[in-house]
Amino acid sequence: MIPPLRRKVLRDLRRLWAQVLAIALVLAAGVATLILGNGAYASLHETRARYYEENRFADIFADVTRAPRALLGEVRDIKGVLEAEARIVRLGLLDIEGMKEPGSVLFVSLPGDETGLNQLFLMEGRLPDPQSAREIVISDGFTTAHGLGPGDTLPVVMNGRQRQLLVTGVALSPEFIYALGPGQMMPDPRRFGVVWAPRAALEAAFDLEGAFSNLVLKLAPGTDPDLVIEALDRLTAPYGGTGAAPRKDQISHAFLDAELKQLSAMVKVLPPIFLLVAAMLVNMTLSRLITLEREQIGLLKAIGYSSRAVAQHYIEFVLLIATIGILIGMAAGTWLGAGLAQMYARFFSFPYLVFLRDPQIYGLAAVITVGAAVGGAIQAVRTVVRLPPAVAMAPPAPASYRQRIGWVRRLVQLRQTGVMVARHLFRWPLRTASSTLGVAMSVAILVASLWSFGSINFMIDVTFFRTERHDAQIVFGVPEPQRALFAVRQMPGVVVAEPFRQVAARISHRNLSKKLAITGHPAGAGLSRVLDTALRPMDLPDSGLILSEALADALQVRPGDLVTVEMLEGRRPILTLPVSGISLGYVGLGAAMDIGALNRLMDEGPLISGVNLMIDGSQDAAFYAAAKAAPKTETITVTALMLERFQQTLAENITVMITVYVVLAAIIAVGVVYNFSRIALSEQGRELASLRVLGFTNREVSGVLFGELATIVLLAQPLGWLIGYGIGLAMVAAFSSDLYRVPFVIEREVYAIASLVVLAAALVSALAIRGRINNLDMIEVLKTRE
Amino acid sequence: MEGPADIVFRASGLTKVYRNGALEVHALRGIDFQARTGEFIVILGPSGSGKSTFLNIVGGLDRATSGEAWFEEHQLTALTERGLTQYRRDHVGFVFQFYNLVPSLTARENVQLVTEIARHPMPADEALALVGLSDRADHFPAQLSGGEQQRVAIARAIAKNPQVLLCDEPTGALDSATGIKVLEALTQVNRAVGATTLVITHNAAIRDIADRVIRFADGRIVEEIVNATRKAPSEVSW
Ligand SMILES: Nc1ncnc2c1ncn2[C@@H]1O[C@H](COP(=O)(O)OP(=O)(O)OP(=O)(O)O)[C@@H](O)[C@H]1O
Ligand SMILES: [Mg+2]
């Protein structure tokens, strides 16, 4: 036989099913957030580690213009170098018929053999015959974007010559997980692909017989990469080396890292807040729910149940609710986490996905949830159990409603029911405050989930519409003299053409240093501008550098400070330059100079690295064709396409993630408001029924309860905005990396949406309990005490 | 006079003061009281005279402000929280002025709530039969009339075969026929188990079934009448 108390647990669960479900869902949302984010993050992290390991991803990467193969021996002799491979890595242009917009491919020589570095993961077909001059393997995303496969030919421009290459296989590489084309901000597999070819074929195509253009190194465990890089840079400097990059600066790895960091910020900042909010709300809700059972607790004690037994009964009750919540949350979290990890894995071109579930996270979620629920129960039971049963069984002592609300009454002409509302709110200030806080937290987590859209919009606006305002950009293979600019101006469709110069450099301040490209802009440039932090165009000084905020922070410099600049091209001058200003910039690290000043420092004459262009939209096809055909062109980027890709990618990743969070936050909001309304109804049911007995209409009686709810919900809005702002501020710090700097912008819509969701939740709750108010049992009131 | 072994309850100088801020209510102003084993005592008195307060203290539901109360060798006024719980669980059956049933349990389950933890309980159905509710055992409190709810409460009180039965206006909501049934159940338990029974009532007619009648007024016992003979409940005119 089931003991009667246990039966009471089950019956109460069923009686309160709607509330139980709401509480369980709030808990589930908290648990799911924690699990889904962590699951996705841990899986991606582990997948990357496994992939790097199995495919022997290199530790150090270095580009040179052209170095003899003999140099490889010296590189291998550097202390700590386990393996070194000389490769040929060169850019080429896509020449696919019917593809109007420009695209590029990166040619990479195939790794030596099974022991080579950056091994390919062959998805389809076979590797090229080492002797073949035509056979290639191409990257998977690119293959899909163009509907290519083994047996197809790929038309490209290599070293200025048109070629038809033969695809024998499709592969992935740990080097191009985040396959970012030159000048692009987001991977775009349609306009950028990787082509692996036998080294002999590439040597011939790029006139690099007996030479190489790129080095990859694997280090012995425990080796300091900086020491190796120092030695390596000395060796490669004479051959046009622009400085080796450790793995952490390798483009694919760095972007992947930044993305994972962002994911981890979403995972580490928001979910614990969700879970804590859910826990806090459940704690409050259960404690009030149990306080309602005061008379029954008194009765159980009166007939001889010990305080322990009573407490145990209620703990069982909340444990069941918590268990339901945890189970739903874990199932949903696991499922969503797997989906999310898959989405990211697809985006990142991982060959496989290692699902990782951290039992500790599951345990933590369960412990916090159970702790909060049981804590709420114990707290409530304890206050009641402490009362003598005779007192507990009687309703709570009538509140001493003193004339504390006199001023409210004077302020607004309240009717008697209005006075009731005001008295309630003031009589239990703690309860009013905690309810307000609870609703405010619902608003806050919505704000915290939604804010990043504003930041992204702002980033897009600043980057694409205020700073980089050109329609297209041509980058030359090597710096060209001024007449290259005139050649570009002759191309069809060119309305405005502004040159720029870019030089790889290492900028240091004290013991901090960063490698980046210094860009020289012509005075008064309108297509690529340097803006100050107030979004005003900046004048470029005759000498001196303008650093982006992110770079200034990374180097800890302020305007007026001196920095050491080591140019990594040409004659490699080392200079000391003043920082003359700080500019705004959200993507990457940036340093800007006047183009004339930069060229003077380089002492190579007036060279340009590329041209920013404004294009007549009706002639873009003709322009692309001409630009592609120009022998000096290495890459062409199209701003509109980049922006489109940027937004698409964000839509895919962040939007999905945020949508999940918003839905979970909304569930929490609805659960909380509904429970608060139900509990308020239970607490005041008798009073309201008495009003009905006295002849008040349903409307008037509902008005009392809804007035109280409305006051709390309205009070909670500004508080929720404030808390949400705080959470957002904490998140934005975790979001930033060298690659992205996320501005903290919350659009007014965010507050509006958050409030609307919560207000809608309140409205739905009000409607849901309206029926209950209409069915208040007047007889019950007359039948028993008071 | 009877020897002390015969005395179940003893109280002396019992007072109870409720403080509500600056306001003090003297609910009991010094009660001296004794009850013998098996005695059936009816307590009368105007509303607010302290009857319920007294019963609650004797039943271990509340604490006195001063004075002593003894049950057999237990000094109730000195017992800890745990001791009071044990006392109620082992010795006392309550019938409250308001039925105080658990709404989510059926009539039978409400009785089982007590038989579950009692030392020598009678079967729950037997207790329900005693109050004439065998056919309503599976109904929830909300499906029962006020009087029926009260009878469930009585079944719950007697189901543990208590040594003491404390009833606060048990017949207040009942018609005379059911009232008699309830009183018969009470007297039967009183006789069969020898449970000392204290019944608070506003129905002065019930006094005739008692061994002794105590009258409260303003927190004091103002009158005590010993009946030479007890009437059967059925002989009482309502
Ligand atoms: N919690 C309390 N706080 C303050 N005063 C109380 C409290 N409980 C009871 N009283 C007061 O103590 C006095 C005795 O109350 P008690 O309930 O014992 O009366 P009663 O004789 O049982 O009355 P009734 O016949 O109406 O049930 C009353 O004046 C009552 O107002
Ligand atoms: Mg009373």
Side-chain angles (χ1 to χ4, degrees), chain B residues 13-204:
Chain B
L14 219 49
T15 71
K16 175 77 182 180
V17 184
Y18 290 106
R19 278 196 186 80
N20 243 352
L23 215 70
E24 281 192 357
V25 180
H26 292 263
L28 297 180
R29 303 168 186 268
I31 301 285
D32 299 312
F33 170 81
Q34 290 195 340
R36 280 175 290 116
T37 309
E39 217 178 347
F40 195 113
I41 299 171
V42 164
I43 300 173
L44 299 173
S47 183
S49 57
K51 307 180 296 289
S52 298
T53 308
F54 172 68
L55 206 71
N56 286 342
I57 293 174
V58 165
L61 292 176
D62 208 348
R63 291 178 179 280
T65 307
S66 69
E68 283 183 10
W70 290 78
F71 171 78
E72 292 180 341
E73 70 279 12
H74 308 288
Q75 188 188 347
L76 300 178
T77 40
L79 281 181
T80 59
E81 175 61 37
R82 183 186 296 260
L84 282 177
T85 301
Q86 200 62 41
Y87 161 64
R88 294 194 300 266
R89 176 190 288 226
D90 292 343
H91 307 290
V92 191
F94 287 107
V95 178
F96 299 106
Q97 190 167 358
F98 309 104
Y99 326 123
N100 285 87
L101 300 177
V102 176
S104 54
L105 295 180
T106 63
R108 183 189 289 115
E109 287 159 357
N110 262 289
V111 177
Q112 283 168 348
L113 206 54
V114 163
T115 57
E116 171 95 341
I117 56 167
R119 278 206 215 152
H120 313 289
M122 63 174 88
D125 285 331
E126 194 182 318
L128 283 171
L130 272 177
V131 294
L133 278 180
S134 299
D135 50 338
R136 309 300 299 274
D138 292 319
H139 286 79
F140 286 95
Q143 299 166 315
L144 299 172
S145 75
E148 286 163 342
Q149 290 187 39
Q150 185 61 307
R151 278 146 71 197
V152 175
I154 291 170
R156 189 177 61 189
I158 61 179
K160 67 158 79 157
N161 282 317
Q163 270 163 283
V164 207
L165 199 51
L166 303 177
C167 316
D168 198 337
E169 293 187 51
T171 56
L174 307 181
D175 64 79
S176 62
T178 6
I180 289 166
K181 261 190 198 163
V182 165
L183 290 176
E184 272 171 348
L186 288 177
T187 45
Q188 191 193 328
V189 175
N190 171 246
R191 292 230 176 79
V193 206
T196 308
T197 308
L198 273 64
V199 180
I200 296 177
T201 182
H202 282 291
N203 188 347

Side-chain angles (χ1 to χ4, degrees), chain A residues 541-563:
Chain A
D542 284 342
S543 67
L545 279 166
I546 302 231
L547 305 187
S548 70
E549 264 182 308
L551 181 59
D553 283 353
L555 296 178
Q556 293 177 13
V557 295
R558 275 178 310 190
D561 287 347
L562 294 177
V563 291

Side-chain angles (χ1 to χ4, degrees), chain A residues 305-320:
Chain A
Y305 281 88
S306 66
S307 301
R308 263 182 85 104
V310 173
Q312 194 192 329
H313 165 67
Y314 286 99
I315 287 171
E316 275 173 23
F317 175 67
V318 300
L319 270 183
L320 272 176

Side-chain angles (χ1 to χ4, degrees), chain A residues 336-347:
Chain A
L336 288 170
L340 203 68
Q342 256 152 2
M343 186 185 83
Y344 272 92
R346 259 199 315 276
F347 173 68

